[in-house]
């Protein structure tokens, strides 16, 4: 940690104007960015790849201009591009541009910008900030950074032992970026949708400025032999959510195990305990039951009713006929007549006709399973028996009955195991739910590589463990819970990848060598470098 | 003792370390500084127990959520601080590292995970632990460099004895700085940048194996790049005559803002919704 590196060219040339040099470089690079941005509006740099005649002519002219500049100002450019002020300036600009790119959504549809950025949308789109990281000016700065990163080790004679860490680190970045460029130019990336038993021998890749899909054949076929999704053990839990504004924020969970005894819900001193489990049941069909009382306080009898059937109740004192059944009762907003919103029994309602056995006027009534007191609303004034409607669904989900207590007060509630409604807690801002956590742990595709009809390779891939064959790499990408035979694969061919790996290694090794194998004395030991 | 009880204990031990180390700095008593180091070691052990308990309870490395990183960071800070104590006798950082740990654990306890989050398939990778640990060790080094740089700028009398020699060299920039502290700030930054580079590269390699992309211009990736660029700018700027001393110390202080934003501020970005990496 003590050996002093020999002075660098920069170190040997102290100049009080270095600060000014930084701002000059900053201004120059900013101006170059503006020029590149403006040129990019007239000619898409990607057209150079596709090889239009005009684009090629433009490239030739550009190269000629660049060559002339290098010939005329080579020494000046060399000194500038290898100077510290230039390095800091280009790092500053790339940093600011990258920050900007995190405030503007990238690559979205124009309407997304209209919604998100309102009045700024047209400005952002006009400046091409929706694809900032591929804009001519950002790419131009990266290119210039690479030129600088190549020249600096040359100027520092990085092949000499004291500086080779320096050379590794700088050139490592260039090698990474060159590998990335090769990958984007000659590589491909596409998505493959496969079902079990099906195979594919090509992948569709969006290409060209219009992003038309083009088929890229593999030269072999890939068959999905099997796909499976592995889940974590499913678990029901109680969740307490607190209302903050218009949304609910989860505040606490209580596992079933801890709710075997009284456990705090973390809201207004309320505690919870599981009282009993109620198993689900399945009947041949749904049914409607009336609880009939001759008068308030009298014992009730249960009577099963059906639409259109006449049933005697209260020892034959009255008969009840079901006139209509609405599984999901609603008053139609246009016709103002009773109707059903859906075939699902969300709000079951019956219209019944009650007739005295000894003759007399029949009376029509509305009964609601969710509002059992409705029939009794006008109290003793109503003649005839008191009716309460209970809807018995064909399928009853398993339920859990819980006890809740707060201070001296205690009450009960039942949660259905599936699709249970939340329970409002008495603190006025929290709700309690009972939810199933059923998360995917892993998903795997058993792939077979086929050359003709012959299986040449087989591998089960999963996220973090792809299959590679003849330059193509197949990554496990996605699944569809509703379609268990489907597997989504990402297909990548990246000829630049070895360079990217090599560059990463060079960068890491270079940084370690610079600072720990051949350490430099810290720059903050002021004046030393000057 | 349940998980939260251990976290409270760790927070209390870091809090005691802040108090004892502050007394030591003000009284300039070695006894108190030794006591502070003992407290810091105790806090480190408690922090280790917190991580170990959560690792066992969750059955996975406890580095998945923001809350869990708020438990990991104090541990990394303690490790780096103890290392710097062993190597450089840099006692002056003890109260600040402990104070930062108190804030982290306090923030974590104020906003804890309500349940143990299960590990999604992408995180079930051998890269997970080295990538996250490299980053948080780096963040620890960079916080310490930020603190040392701030102290070098402020140059208070009470930290001279504990931060190295008291000599004030002429320095550069716009004014003198505490030279030994500035040198240590630079070394801590270099350490942080090295770990940051390793973390960045490991993250890219992991992304390649998981998704087929080593870089996807995700907001969190971009801010990791911004942080790296900021410290790269510092490393170059710190060698420019006229920018050394106070100016480059200021840059260390400011650059740490990028670290904090990358770690805890991502949800504030308008682009955070589509990110694969932002803490929920």
């Amino acid at each position: 940690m003590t050996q002093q590196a020999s002075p660098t060219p920069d170190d040997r040339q102290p100049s009080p104007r270095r600060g000014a040099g930084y701002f000059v470089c900053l201004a120059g690079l900013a101006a170059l960015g503006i020029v590149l941005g403006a040129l990019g509006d007239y000619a898409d740099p990607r057209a150079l790849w596709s090889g239009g005649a005009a684009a090629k002519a433009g490239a030739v002219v550009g190269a000629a201009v660049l060559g002339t500049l290098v010939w005329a100002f080579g020494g000046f450019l060399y000194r500038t591009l290898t100077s510290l002020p230039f390095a800091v300036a280009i790092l500053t600009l790339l940093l600011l541009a990258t920050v900007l790119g995190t405030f503007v959504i990238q690559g979205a549809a124009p309407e997304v910008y209209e919604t998100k950025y309102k009045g700024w949308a047209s400005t952002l789109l006009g400046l091409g900030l929706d694809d900032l990281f591929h804009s001519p000016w950002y790419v131009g700065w990266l290119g210039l950074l690479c030129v600088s990163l190549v020249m600096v080790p040359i100027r520092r004679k990085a092949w000499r032992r004291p500086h080779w860490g320096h050379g590794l680190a700088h050139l490592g970045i260039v090698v990474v970026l060159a590998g990335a460029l090769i990958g984007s130019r000659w590589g491909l990336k596409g998505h493959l949708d496969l079902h079990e038993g099906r195979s594919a021998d090509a992948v569709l890749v969006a290409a060209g400025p219009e992003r038309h899909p083009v088929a890229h054949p593999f030269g072999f076929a890939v068959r999905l032999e099997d796909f499976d999704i592995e889940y974590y053990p499913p678990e029901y839990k109680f969740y307490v959510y607190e209302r903050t504004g218009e949304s609910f924020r989860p505040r606490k969970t209580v596992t079933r195990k801890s709710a075997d005894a009284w456990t705090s819900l973390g809201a207004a001193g309320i505690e919870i305990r599981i009282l009993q489990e109620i198993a689900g049941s399945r009947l041949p069909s749904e049914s409607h039951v009336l609880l009939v009382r001759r008068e308030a306080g009298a014992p009730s009898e249960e009577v099963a009713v059906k639409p259109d059937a006449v049933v005697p109740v209260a020892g034959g004192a009255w008969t009840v006929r079901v006139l209509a059944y609405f599984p999901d009762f609603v008053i139609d907003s246009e016709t103002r007549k009773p109707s059903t919103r859906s075939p699902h029994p969300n709000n079951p309602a019956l219209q019944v006709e009650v007739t005295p056995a000894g003759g007399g006027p029949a009376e029509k009534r509305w009964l609601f399973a969710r509002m059992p007191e409705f029939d009794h609303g006008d109290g003793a004034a109503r003649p005839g028996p008191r009716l309460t409607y209970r809807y018995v669904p064909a399928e009853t989900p398993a339920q859990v009955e819980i006890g809740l207590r707060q201070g001296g007060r205690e009450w009960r509630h039942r949660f259905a195991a599936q699709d249970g409604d939340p329970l409002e807690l008495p603190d006025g801002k929290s709700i309690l739910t009972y939810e199933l956590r059923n998360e995917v742990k892993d998903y795997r595709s058993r792939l077979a590589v086929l050359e003709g009809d012959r299986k040449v390779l087989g591998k089960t891939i999963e996220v973090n463990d792809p299959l590679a064959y003849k330059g193509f790499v197949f990554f496990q990408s996605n699944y569809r819970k509703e379609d268990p035979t489907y597997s989504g694969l990402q297909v990548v061919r990246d000829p630049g990848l070895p360079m990217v790996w090599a560059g990463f290694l060079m960068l890491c090794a270079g940084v370690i060598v610079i600072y720990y194998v051949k350490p430099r004395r810290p720059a903050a030991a002021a004046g030393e470098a000057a | 003792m349940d998980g939260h009880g251990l976290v409270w204990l760790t927070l209390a031990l870091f809090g005691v370390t802040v108090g004892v180390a502050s007394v030591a700095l003000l009284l300039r008593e070695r006894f108190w500084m030794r006591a502070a180091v003992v407290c810091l070691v105790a806090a480190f052990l408690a922090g280790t127990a917190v991580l170990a308990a959560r690792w066992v309870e969750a059955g996975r490395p406890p580095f998945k959520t923001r809350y869990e990183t708020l438990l990991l960071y104090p541990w990394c800070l303690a490790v780096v601080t103890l290392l710097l104590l062993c190597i450089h006798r840099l006692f002056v950082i003890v109260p600040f590292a402990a104070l930062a740990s108190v804030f982290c654990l306090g923030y974590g306890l104020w906003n804890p995970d309500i349940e143990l989050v299960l590990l999604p398939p992408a995180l079930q990778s051998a890269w997970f632990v080295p990538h996250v640990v490299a980053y948080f060790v780096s963040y620890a080094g960079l916080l310490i460099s930020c603190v040392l740089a701030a102290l070098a700028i402020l140059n208070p009398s009470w930290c001279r004895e504990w931060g190295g020699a008291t000599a004030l060299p002429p320095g550069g920039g716009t004014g003198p700085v505490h030279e030994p502290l500035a040198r240590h700030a630079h070394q801590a930054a270099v350490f942080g940048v090295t770990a940051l580079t390793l973390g960045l590269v490991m993250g890219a390699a992991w992304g390649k194996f998981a998704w087929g992309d080593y870089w996807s211009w995700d907001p969190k990736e971009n801010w990791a790049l911004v942080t790296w660029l900021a410290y790269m700018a510092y490393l170059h700027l710190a060698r420019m005559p006229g920018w050394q001393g106070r100016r480059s110390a200021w840059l260390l202080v400011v650059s740490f803002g990028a670290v904090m934003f990358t770690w805890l501020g991502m949800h504030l970005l308008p682009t955070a919704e589509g990110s694969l990496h932002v803490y929920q």
Side-chain angles (χ1 to χ4, degrees):
Chain A
M1 297 273 298
T2 55
Q3 195 168 350
Q4 167 73 12
S6 62
T8 64
D10 297 309
D11 296 335
R12 286 195 299 266
Q13 297 170 24
S15 162
R17 291 183 302 155
R18 282 286 172 82
Y22 166 65
F23 289 110
V24 169
C25 288
L26 208 59
L29 284 167
L32 178 72
I34 292 169
V35 169
L36 288 173
L39 284 176
D41 282 347
Y42 293 101
D44 185 349
R46 280 174 294 207
L48 287 176
W49 298 127
S50 50
K56 280 184 177 162
V60 169
V61 171
V65 170
L66 208 60
T68 311
L69 282 174
V70 170
W71 175 74
F73 304 105
F76 169 74
L77 285 174
Y78 178 68
R79 282 193 303 279
T80 304
L81 289 172
T82 54
S83 68
L84 280 171
F86 175 84
V88 180
I90 193 136
L91 286 168
T92 308
L93 286 174
L94 284 171
L95 183 154
L96 294 175
T98 309
V99 169
L100 185 61
T102 63
F103 281 88
V104 182
I105 294 171
Q106 297 293 298
E111 49 273 19
V112 174
Y113 297 91
E114 298 288 345
T115 315
K116 199 97 181 178
Y117 301 99
K118 309 222 160 42
W120 289 91
S122 55
T123 311
L124 296 178
L125 292 171
L127 290 173
L129 298 183
D130 57 323
D131 192 19
L132 185 152
F133 298 110
H134 303 97
S135 64
W137 51 277
Y138 192 86
V139 174
W141 283 343
L142 279 181
L144 215 50
L145 174 75
C146 285
V147 173
S148 171
L149 287 170
V150 169
M151 284 183 175
V152 165
I154 295 172
R155 187 173 178 187
R156 291 184 67 137
K157 298 184 174 59
W159 51 88
R160 290 185 184 171
R161 198 168 176 280
H163 298 301
W164 59 272
H166 185 276
L168 270 179
H170 283 76
L171 291 176
I173 300 169
V174 180
V175 172
V176 168
L177 291 173
L181 185 68
I182 290 170
S184 67
R185 172 68 187 94
W186 287 285
L188 64 86
K189 187 167 74 180
H191 195 267
L192 203 57
D193 294 318
L194 279 179
H195 281 86
E196 282 177 348
R198 306 294 296 270
S199 57
D201 57 8
V203 63
L204 292 176
V205 178
E210 304 297 320
R211 314 299 292 161
H212 288 310
V214 176
H216 282 265
F218 303 141
F220 56 90
V222 171
R223 188 174 67 216
L224 177 63
E225 298 194 319
D226 188 33
F227 179 71
D228 85 286
I229 303 176
E230 183 188 353
Y231 289 85
Y232 282 103
E235 185 185 13
Y236 275 101
K237 281 185 182 178
F238 298 98
Y239 287 78
V240 179
Y241 294 88
E242 191 179 290
R243 191 182 284 111
T244 48
E246 290 184 3
S247 60
F248 284 93
R249 185 176 168 207
R251 295 297 298 173
K252 188 174 170 71
T253 53
V254 176
T255 60
R256 287 168 51 91
K257 193 179 169 192
S258 54
D260 279 343
W262 286 108
T263 304
S264 170
L265 279 181
I270 305 168
E271 292 180 301
I272 185 174
R273 199 187 129 196
I274 292 177
L275 298 178
Q276 63 167 327
E277 306 282 347
I278 301 156
S281 63
R282 187 171 179 82
L283 301 170
S285 67
E286 63 185 3
S287 57
H288 310 277
V289 173
L290 295 184
L291 297 177
V292 186
R293 284 191 182 89
R294 277 177 177 272
E295 56 196 18
S300 65
E301 62 169 330
E302 284 193 10
V303 180
V305 294
K306 287 179 181 174
D308 290 330
V310 178
V311 181
V313 298
W318 290 275
T319 57
V320 173
R321 186 161 75 98
V322 176
L323 300 175
Y325 164 56
F326 299 92
D328 194 0
F329 180 86
V330 66
I331 296 286
D332 191 292
S333 58
E334 287 181 6
T335 62
R336 310 299 302 164
K337 287 184 178 171
S339 170
T340 187
R341 198 179 344 227
S342 74
H344 307 297
N346 296 323
N347 186 20
L350 292 183
Q351 190 186 28
V352 297
E353 187 180 62
V354 181
T355 311
E363 179 204 0
K364 287 180 183 172
R365 297 192 199 177
W366 281 102
L367 305 173
F368 297 92
R370 285 181 173 260
M371 291 183 284
E373 302 302 317
F374 185 79
D375 181 53
H376 299 256
D378 46 5
R382 180 188 289 280
R386 288 168 182 266
L387 303 177
T388 305
Y389 169 37
R390 200 170 81 204
Y391 172 80
V392 182
E395 195 168 1
T396 312
Q399 289 181 302
V400 60
E401 186 174 50
I402 54 163
L404 294 156
R405 72 180 184 191
Q406 182 188 36
R409 190 173 151 238
E410 206 168 309
W411 68 104
R412 294 171 174 231
H413 181 78
R414 282 186 184 185
F415 276 117
Q418 287 172 340
D419 307 324
D421 290 331
L423 172 69
E424 292 267 356
L425 293 177
D427 67 347
K429 59 178 182 179
S430 305
I431 57 169
L432 178 68
T433 63
Y434 184 59
E435 298 175 26
L436 174 66
R437 199 162 71 145
N438 191 22
E439 292 181 27
V440 170
K441 185 177 183 183
D442 204 358
Y443 45 106
R444 305 179 190 86
S445 297
R446 186 150 57 83
L447 296 181
V449 177
L450 308 172
E451 294 264 19
D453 290 335
R454 194 165 58 90
K455 179 178 171 180
V456 291
L457 185 65
K459 182 177 178 182
T460 299
I461 65 163
E462 58 191 313
V463 180
N464 285 311
D465 188 14
L467 174 145
Y469 187 72
K470 287 192 173 175
F472 289 91
V473 188
F474 297 84
F475 294 90
Q476 181 67 71
S477 171
N478 62 304
Y479 60 88
R480 292 175 188 155
K481 268 188 176 176
E482 69 282 5
D483 185 358
T485 63
Y486 163 88
S487 174
L489 306 179
Q490 170 106 300
V491 185
V492 176
R493 192 183 65 199
D494 189 352
L497 192 60
M499 282 183 75
V500 174
W501 290 148
F504 280 159
L505 279 178
M506 288 168 69
L507 173 62
C508 292
V511 170
I512 292 169
V513 168
I514 291 171
Y515 294 113
Y516 293 101
V517 177
K518 184 60 76 177
R520 302 184 50 74
R521 277 180 66 180
E528 285 181 2
Chain B
M1 189 179 284
D2 68 358
H4 276 188
L6 263 178
V7 178
W8 275 110
L9 174 70
T10 313
L11 188 151
L13 287 169
F14 275 118
V16 172
T17 309
V18 175
V20 176
S22 303
V23 169
L25 286 183
L26 294 174
L27 297 182
R28 304 185 184 199
E29 289 273 354
R30 286 197 180 273
F31 167 78
W32 285 101
M33 191 47 85
R34 287 197 186 112
V37 174
V38 170
C39 293
L40 182 63
V41 171
F44 161 71
L45 292 175
T48 309
V50 165
L51 292 178
R54 197 163 176 92
W55 197 315
V56 170
E57 187 185 1
R60 58 167 176 78
F63 312 143
K64 162 74 179 80
T65 63
R66 175 176 26 221
Y67 171 67
E68 288 173 339
T69 59
L70 286 166
L71 303 181
L72 172 65
Y73 190 49
W75 186 85
C76 294
L77 264 177
V79 169
V80 176
T81 305
L82 289 169
L83 274 176
L84 288 174
L85 283 179
C86 290
I87 300 170
H88 297 297
R89 306 265 155 207
L90 209 57
F91 292 108
V92 72
I93 58 174
V94 172
F96 299 98
L99 186 64
S101 301
V102 167
F103 277 120
C104 285
L105 295 173
Y107 180 36
L109 283 169
W110 177 64
N111 198 7
D113 287 350
I114 59 162
E115 61 187 329
L116 284 169
V117 175
L118 300 170
L119 220 49
L123 294 194
Q124 296 163 27
S125 163
W127 293 103
F128 182 31
V129 174
H131 166 70
V132 177
V133 170
Y135 256 105
F136 280 90
V137 166
S138 158
Y139 288 1
L142 295 176
L143 171 67
I144 287 168
S145 95
C146 166
V147 167
L148 289 170
L151 289 175
I153 295 165
L154 297 170
N155 194 18
S157 60
W158 48 261
C159 74
R160 288 177 191 169
E161 187 179 341
W162 306 100
T166 54
L168 280 177
T174 54
V177 290
H178 188 299
E179 190 268 335
L181 284 179
R183 193 172 62 230
H184 286 306
H186 177 80
Q187 284 175 340
V190 160
F191 171 77
V193 167
T194 306
L196 197 68
T197 307
L198 294 176
L200 189 69
V201 166
M202 283 192 278
W206 181 7
K208 184 70 198 175
F209 284 106
W211 297 297
D213 292 310
Y214 43 79
W215 195 262
S216 56
W217 300 109
D218 181 280
K220 183 107 176 176
E221 293 173 5
N222 289 337
W223 268 93
L225 177 65
V226 165
T227 310
W228 192 77
L229 288 173
Y231 281 97
M232 283 299 134
Y234 159 78
L235 289 177
H236 288 82
L237 202 78
R239 294 181 51 232
M240 275 167 59
W243 287 82
Q244 293 159 348
R246 185 171 285 261
R247 280 183 181 170
S248 54
W250 267 114
L251 194 59
L252 277 184
V253 174
V254 173
S255 295
F256 190 70
V259 172
M260 291 306 292
F261 191 74
T262 306
W263 177 22
L264 296 172
M266 287 292 97
H267 61 284
L268 302 172
L269 286 173
T271 50
E273 221 169 84
S275 172
L276 284 171
H277 306 294
V278 174
Y279 297 123
Q280 299 301 312

